[in-house]
Amino acid sequence: MIRLAFGTSGTTGAPKDVVHTLDAMLCNADAFNGLAGLNSSTVMYHCLPWTHMSGFLNTILSPTVAGGRVAFGPTFSAKTAGYFWEGLADYDANTVWITPTIAAALLRMNRLERDVTRTFGARLHHVFCGTAPLPRKTREQWLDTFGIPLQESYGTSEHMLVSVQGKEDASRYHDVGTLLPGIKLEIGDSNELFVNGTATGDQGEMRDGRLTITGRIKDLIIRGGFNVAPVQIEEAVRKADGVADAAVVGWPDEFWGEKIVVFAEGGEVKAIQAYCRSVLPKSHWPDFIEIVDKLPRNEMGKVRKSDLVSRIAA
């Protein structure tokens, strides 16, 4: 029996290895392909790190199981970002899997007219997006700029691929799509998701047969007796003028239990504070806001919130 080990992201704690059998991964890839529409015509452009689950299961195994091909480009980074669209064209790729950070970076780099950028999107059948929450702002800007939706997905290193959006749904809904065949989902206390009987650490809910991720158990902030999901505050902060991205963490407080600390890429403290107070309930108002040049991220683009907590402690 062939077994494969993959490293977790380590965004909220220490990274670890997760082991799966190749047979289980093949079954998961086949289930994903049936729902997502990958087939023998698929040419997947590979630009994710090989050491993580998404760099193998999502972008190598899935298209191969579907009978398609994989075009290996350089791993996406600040140095290789300029080659991204050229690489897709060089290999005549029609499918790509990116992270929300890659999507945001490509949007920030874009200086072309809308009709030009839409020619990029017209070459593609699918643009899948996963490994971290996709901000609504990024989703909407991507569709408007490139004319093709980001098909959000959900999965974990421990549970592999769990759900994916269809292309049509991705244009209309801000969720992570429908469950793959064979996936059994249960929702426990505090809306924690259990996949095939084991906890994910994520929170979510089902709406009309589609899964929405609402936060992570470890990230939950309890302030003055209220359960505060950081993702709701992060979405609000990203809409404030001049903010490219944001991350929210809790910090112990003798009176409130925890205080809400916001780290924002860009923007101004007073403007962010005023915007949050205009759109969020009082229980979700930030206690502290710090403007940073860049949020700390791992190689998959996920924000390392454990680094932000360490920064507060220091």
Side-chain angles (χ1 to χ4, degrees):
M1 182 179 294
I2 299 174
R3 297 180 182 273
L4 299 163
F6 298 90
T8 62
S9 300
T11 52
T12 57
K16 62 182 179 182
D17 285 340
V18 175
V19 179
H20 291 289
T21 66
L22 180 59
D23 286 348
M25 298 186 75
L26 289 170
C27 288
N28 188 245
D30 188 54
F32 172 82
N33 293 343
L35 194 59
L38 271 62
N39 52 42
S40 59
S41 67
T42 297
V43 182
M44 177 75 76
Y45 185 66
H46 188 287
C47 63
L48 299 178
W50 288 58
T51 54
H52 286 266
M53 179 71 73
S54 57
F56 180 72
L57 172 62
N58 304 16
T59 48
I60 296 178
L61 203 58
S62 290
T64 302
V65 169
R69 296 187 292 118
V70 182
F72 290 95
T75 300
F76 190 92
S77 67
K79 292 182 179 179
T80 65
Y83 177 70
F84 180 83
W85 294 111
E86 185 180 345
L88 284 165
D90 285 347
Y91 292 107
D92 199 25
N94 56 33
T95 304
V96 66
W97 201 308
I98 60 178
T99 67
T101 301
I102 292 175
L106 291 170
L107 285 168
R108 285 199 295 267
M109 289 170 51
N110 179 54
R111 297 293 183 271
L112 301 173
E113 297 294 330
R114 183 177 177 183
D115 58 343
V116 177
T117 59
R118 293 219 162 193
T119 63
F120 296 152
R123 298 172 184 164
L124 297 169
H125 297 168
H126 301 281
V127 181
F128 297 108
C129 189
T131 76
L134 175 62
R136 188 183 298 269
K137 178 179 175 181
T138 302
R139 178 194 288 277
E140 293 171 351
Q141 288 181 341
W142 181 276
L143 180 59
D144 181 64
T145 301
F146 298 109
I148 183 171
L150 291 171
Q151 292 177 239
E152 196 168 1
S153 63
Y154 171 66
T156 72
S157 296
E158 294 83 359
H159 304 91
M160 298 182 282
L161 292 163
V162 174
S163 68
V164 65
Q165 283 187 322
K167 192 172 181 179
E168 189 174 316
D169 283 351
S171 301
R172 299 182 295 161
Y173 300 110
H174 187 65
D175 56 41
V176 294
T178 56
L179 300 178
L180 271 58
I183 295 293
K184 182 182 179 182
L185 181 75
E186 297 177 347
I187 300 178
D189 295 339
S190 300
N191 289 335
E192 184 173 10
L193 302 179
F194 289 77
V195 173
N196 296 335
T198 60
T200 64
D202 292 313
Q203 297 169 298
E205 57 189 24
M206 294 295 294
R207 301 172 184 169
D208 299 324
R210 296 186 302 273
L211 176 61
T212 296
I213 304 300
T214 57
R216 279 191 63 80
I217 293 291
K218 287 184 178 180
D219 290 348
L220 191 67
I221 299 170
I222 303 177
R223 184 185 187 280
F226 289 94
N227 290 346
V228 178
V231 66
Q232 185 178 353
I233 304 170
E234 290 163 355
E235 285 282 3
V237 174
R238 291 183 187 112
K239 294 179 181 178
D241 289 341
V243 177
D245 203 354
V248 173
V249 297
W251 185 250
D253 180 78
E254 290 185 4
F255 182 76
W256 292 108
E258 286 183 286
K259 286 189 175 181
I260 299 169
V261 183
V262 171
F263 292 88
E265 285 186 0
E268 297 182 353
V269 171
K270 289 184 178 180
I272 294 171
Q273 187 177 54
Y275 184 78
C276 286
R277 293 192 174 198
S278 70
V279 299
L280 293 172
K282 190 172 183 179
S283 59
H284 288 53
W285 290 358
D287 294 293
F288 298 99
I289 300 172
E290 182 174 342
I291 309 300
V292 297
D293 292 331
K294 289 184 178 181
L295 294 168
R297 301 179 186 274
N298 64 16
E299 60 182 351
M300 289 301 298
K302 288 185 179 180
V303 175
R304 299 184 66 95
K305 291 195 173 183
S306 54
D307 287 4
L308 296 177
V309 172
S310 297
R311 178 170 179 160
I312 300 171

